[in-house]
Amino acid sequence: MKKMGAINDERTHGKHLEDITDEAWPDEATLPAELKKQVYIKHIYGPLFFGFTHEFQNRLLEIPDVKYVIFRMKEVPYIDQTGLYTLEESLRSLEKKGIAVFITELQSQPHDLMTRIDIIPGLITEDRLFQNLNDCLNFASQHAKE
């Protein structure tokens, strides 16, 4: 488990949109200019579980002053109870800073557990869950204009 946590830590990263280069996923190549300084994308790889939660929290401290954080969770097949509580604590912390959080590509097991303990819709409403980044960015663009 410790090794899996280390692998997750090595692969998980986040970037301010204007700083994304070689670590960008293909759909991040063309992003609306008005969002580049307002959005931070957090790529999460592998299960969010007890062996990785400390590093996950530490990485959230790296998030700059932005309006939006997007958690890309396509590569998160599993989340355990410790991961749920860490995610919940992280979402509350970001909310206190006035940062809106969006989640893209959430798989069924994490979605089901997040719903069971009311992270969804308690902290992340259904309108902030997206199947793909493009829909998320369109929503964020509209939100930014309001």
Side-chain angles (χ1 to χ4, degrees):
M1 289 294 180
K2 185 175 181 177
K3 184 173 184 173
M4 188 182 307
I7 291 169
N8 284 4
D9 179 47
E10 183 178 301
R11 294 183 67 205
T12 298
H13 59 277
K15 289 284 183 183
H16 202 274
L17 284 186
E18 62 185 356
D19 298 331
I20 290 178
T21 55
D22 59 327
E23 295 159 350
W25 289 2
D27 59 352
E28 296 168 359
T30 56
L31 298 163
E34 71 272 11
L35 290 179
K36 286 194 175 193
K37 292 184 182 208
Q38 299 178 39
V39 176
Y40 187 85
I41 293 181
K42 182 81 172 151
H43 297 142
I44 306 171
Y45 291 91
L48 187 52
F49 70 110
F50 74 93
F52 177 58
T53 55
H54 180 71
E55 290 304 321
F56 180 79
Q57 286 179 310
N58 285 342
R59 296 220 176 219
L60 287 178
L61 297 174
E62 300 170 357
I63 294 176
D65 186 26
V66 293
K67 284 184 145 183
Y68 311 105
V69 170
I70 300 171
F71 287 131
R72 308 256 354 231
M73 296 184 70
K74 178 181 179 179
E75 302 293 331
V76 180
Y78 172 80
I79 189 169
D80 73 2
Q81 189 161 354
T82 304
L84 282 171
Y85 291 124
T86 299
L87 183 60
E88 180 180 28
E89 185 179 310
S90 300
L91 292 170
R92 288 187 191 285
S93 174
L94 292 169
E95 181 181 60
K96 282 180 186 175
K97 292 179 179 180
I99 298 173
V101 177
F102 305 115
I103 297 177
T104 65
E105 304 132 322
L106 185 61
Q107 294 191 34
S108 61
Q109 190 271 355
H111 184 279
D112 293 345
L113 291 180
M114 290 169 70
T115 302
R116 193 173 302 155
I117 70 163
D118 199 37
I119 289 175
I120 300 170
L123 291 173
I124 297 289
T125 56
E126 292 285 342
D127 67 336
R128 293 193 179 190
L129 299 175
F130 299 91
Q131 293 297 315
N132 59 65
L133 182 66
N134 190 47
D135 291 345
C136 180
L137 291 173
N138 287 337
F139 181 86
S141 290
Q142 288 292 10
H143 192 265
K145 291 175 186 174
E146 294 174 0

